[in-house]
Amino acid sequence: MIRRELWFGLSFMALIVTGAAAVLVSADTITNGHLGLLMLSLVVVAIMLGFPTAFTLMGMGMLFTWLAYDRDWHRTLDLMVQAAYKTMANDVLIAVPLFVFMGYLVERANLIESLFKSLHLALARLPGALAVATLVTCTIFATATGIVGAVVTLMGLLALPAMLRAGYSVPLAAGAITAGGCLGILIPPSVLLIVYGATAGVSVVQLYAGAFFPGLMLASLYVVYVIIIARLKPQWAPPLSQAERAVPLTPLSQRLADSPAAHAVVGLLKGRRNADVPFSHVLRQLGIVAMPGVIFLLLAGFSYKAVTTVEAQARYEIEEIGATRSGTAEGSGAGGLQEPPSTGGLQEPPAAGGLQEPPSGDTPSAPSASGPLAEPPGASSPPAEAAAAQPPAAGTAAVAPAAEGASVRPAPTWWWVTFAIFGALVTLFYLFLSFARLEIFKMLLASFFPLVLLILSVLGSIVLGLATPTEAAAMGALGGMLLAAAYRRLNLSVLKESVFLTAKTSAMVCWLFVGSAIFSAAFALLGGQALVEEWVLGMNLTKVQFLVLSQVIIFLLGWPLKWTEIIVIFMPIFIPLLDNFGVDPLFFGLLVAMNLQTAFLSPPVAMAAFYLKGVSPPHVTLNQIFLGMLPFMGIQVLAIVLLYIWPQIGLWLPQLLYK
């Protein structure tokens, strides 16, 4: 008996073939453009049948290029070589293996177990604490690695048994793991954004800056949904028991505290109760306690100086040759280079006894009989004096910019609001800091903050313009190695496996680009792009209608195809249409990246569901996993609508940094 998934795939392929045949039959004359549409249909069907995407694109592309070139093999092979060379010469793609290598090293540092444990203890009082901790862990780990399969698999091994033991609903637990694990293809550093940027010719730096807030918005919507469900249906996400929320203290901390709920700052002060505790231990604990306050003061001080100091701009009195300076009508030199005056200045010296230039006055004046030669008429000052006066003026112009010091301006409102919020959080941290919370904070220091620091250093250097994506990826790969070494997970076998998987993934991406270049060239040569453009423009769509149509098509393509296939096959078709409707390719890329979240969640090719099913207990079925993913797919659609209604969610940061 044929399974339902196979029936769906066969029906979809039959629908594609029927549609292509109907277009060919209804055409009065079959042109090369119709052959281009036939090639597109055959590529989709071949990929759904399981043929490798890159080589399917290359094979179909070369076959139809040969037809477009009137069966000229030489030009066809030339096109293949040029497409391969163009891909290999693309500097942007260098960042792909480096980011992938960073992800595999971070994955093998085995931080995810301690990260999940510390987060679920820190969030224990929230409704649905385990599911919320799962989403936060997936968000951070997916951002650091960008490898969807690895995150879903590891969280399936770690979080799913814990949620099932706590009595969580199977669909809710499965949906939280699969949806959270897919965030890595949206939140930078994302390989999807690099591939889209290289395909569409959009700056990867601006894509990273633009995708940051939409990714956080989507993750926040997931968390809000889980909290609401846990409130409305507590039987689906039961609260943690007191025993599950208990945090064991170390022996020395037990001596300092009467109970785990005792205030940590008061207990750490040296007194009779901790006389038998080593002073070095107390100092270490006090240093950890003081860390948030010190970091807050340092950030506030440096950022206040940065936002209130206005650097003086150097202004030099250099004028364009031939420009007239205001205020110099009388010919007085104020310093700097000037155009010689028309009635004086440097003139040809008179030869002794020879012809001379007549004076400029109306009445000729006789030369003086006694004394040296007179100054030529019209000169305001002797050349020697003018030359002597010029250096001080030039020196004054050079010193003037240095003399103007940096000015101070008031701090902007956003700075006060941001640090007021941070200050309130730090104050609450110290007010409610018990010894149990101090132990949780130390667990977060060992698992949460190293990953966040690695992510922010990589993203911050890219977004702030301190490094290119390739340079930041190289530093991220180095940071991943140091992180694995710090946790004593870096050895020859781990390094060898990470390099092998990186080479495998990078080769797949590069061959996809080669196949995409050949396929796009063949599609354009056959006139398929012109036919699609003519068809779309003939529909007289508005900008809103075009965006809705394109996103619906991408959403439907996410059912049978992976995101890589959608980007390399269909983006070269959509991108040329954007100018006709006034759509920013950056904004369109953000919509596509958010939409392609569904490619991992929508059946029947929901890869995240199969990753989770492979490591879940036997009683967890695919139908339960699919059922749990549906609400999160609805949240993704809601996030796309919000991004379209308020595009500044994605465009504000790129416009602020790169305007």
Side-chain angles (χ1 to χ4, degrees), residues 400-453:
E404 298 179 5
S407 59
V408 178
R409 63 183 176 188
T413 305
W414 65 264
W415 186 90
W416 290 109
V417 172
T418 301
F419 278 90
I421 295 173
F422 285 157
L425 292 176
V426 172
T427 304
L428 291 174
F429 171 80
Y430 285 114
L431 285 177
F432 297 100
L433 183 63
S434 62
F435 277 95
R437 293 192 177 97
L438 180 59
E439 291 298 320
I440 295 174
F441 180 66
K442 289 191 289 185
M443 294 169 64
L444 290 173
L445 280 179
S447 59
F448 176 77
F449 290 105
L451 277 178
V452 172
L453 183 62

Side-chain angles (χ1 to χ4, degrees), residues 93-354:
L93 295 180
I94 301 176
V96 172
L98 294 172
F99 276 132
V100 172
F101 183 60
M102 178 187 77
Y104 281 122
L105 285 174
V106 170
E107 176 199 344
R108 277 150 182 75
N110 202 21
L111 284 174
I112 194 166
E113 183 175 355
S114 57
L115 178 63
F116 175 70
K117 183 179 180 181
S118 58
L119 282 175
H120 103 257
L121 288 174
L123 303 172
R125 294 186 180 274
L126 280 178
L130 282 175
V132 173
T134 299
L135 286 169
V136 176
T137 304
C138 286
T139 302
I140 297 170
F141 209 69
T143 305
T145 62
I147 307 167
V148 173
V151 177
V152 173
T153 301
L154 289 174
M155 290 305 295
L157 290 170
L158 182 64
L160 185 61
M163 285 192 280
L164 294 180
R165 282 196 304 269
Y168 273 60
S169 164
V170 173
L172 179 63
I177 293 173
T178 52
C182 295
L183 286 170
I185 66 173
L186 173 61
I187 302 178
S190 165
V191 176
L192 181 147
L193 296 177
I194 298 176
V195 175
Y196 175 83
T199 303
V202 181
S203 169
V204 177
V205 177
Q206 295 190 23
L207 282 170
Y208 275 6
F212 186 72
F213 285 115
L216 290 183
M217 176 186 70
L218 186 58
S220 303
L221 289 175
Y222 289 162
V223 171
V224 170
Y225 165 75
V226 167
I227 293 175
I228 292 175
I229 288 295
R231 279 285 187 186
L232 298 178
K233 300 282 187 179
Q235 66 274 18
W236 289 6
L240 295 176
S241 63
Q242 190 65 33
E244 291 172 324
R245 289 187 291 174
V247 181
L249 301 182
T250 60
L252 291 177
S253 296
Q254 288 176 356
R255 296 183 192 176
L256 292 170
D258 297 331
S259 68
H263 201 280
V265 178
V266 177
L268 286 171
L269 297 178
K270 194 68 177 175
R272 294 179 180 178
R273 291 181 305 169
N274 50 14
D276 57 341
V277 178
F279 187 62
S280 59
H281 175 76
V282 176
L283 281 181
R284 283 196 300 270
Q285 303 305 306
L286 284 174
I288 294 173
V289 169
M291 190 180 300
V294 173
I295 293 175
F296 172 76
L297 292 176
L298 289 176
L299 286 176
F302 284 113
S303 62
Y304 182 82
K305 183 178 180 182
V307 300
T308 56
T309 303
V310 181
E311 297 294 336
Q313 295 183 355
R315 292 177 295 177
Y316 299 96
E317 297 185 4
I318 299 176
E319 295 187 0
E320 210 176 309
I321 296 177
T324 304
R325 182 180 303 177
S326 60
T328 58
E330 293 81 15
S332 59
L337 297 176
Q338 299 182 11
E339 188 177 348
S342 59
T343 59
L346 295 178
Q347 298 182 5
E348 188 176 349

Side-chain angles (χ1 to χ4, degrees), residues 391-402:
T396 304
V399 176

Side-chain angles (χ1 to χ4, degrees), residues 474-492:
M475 295 305 297
L478 176 61
M481 291 186 67
L482 295 177
L483 202 60
Y487 286 89
R488 299 179 181 179
R489 299 285 180 178
L490 186 63
N491 51 46
L492 186 59

Side-chain angles (χ1 to χ4, degrees), residues 382 390 592 600 610:
Q390 186 172 346
V592 170
F600 279 93
F610 293 103

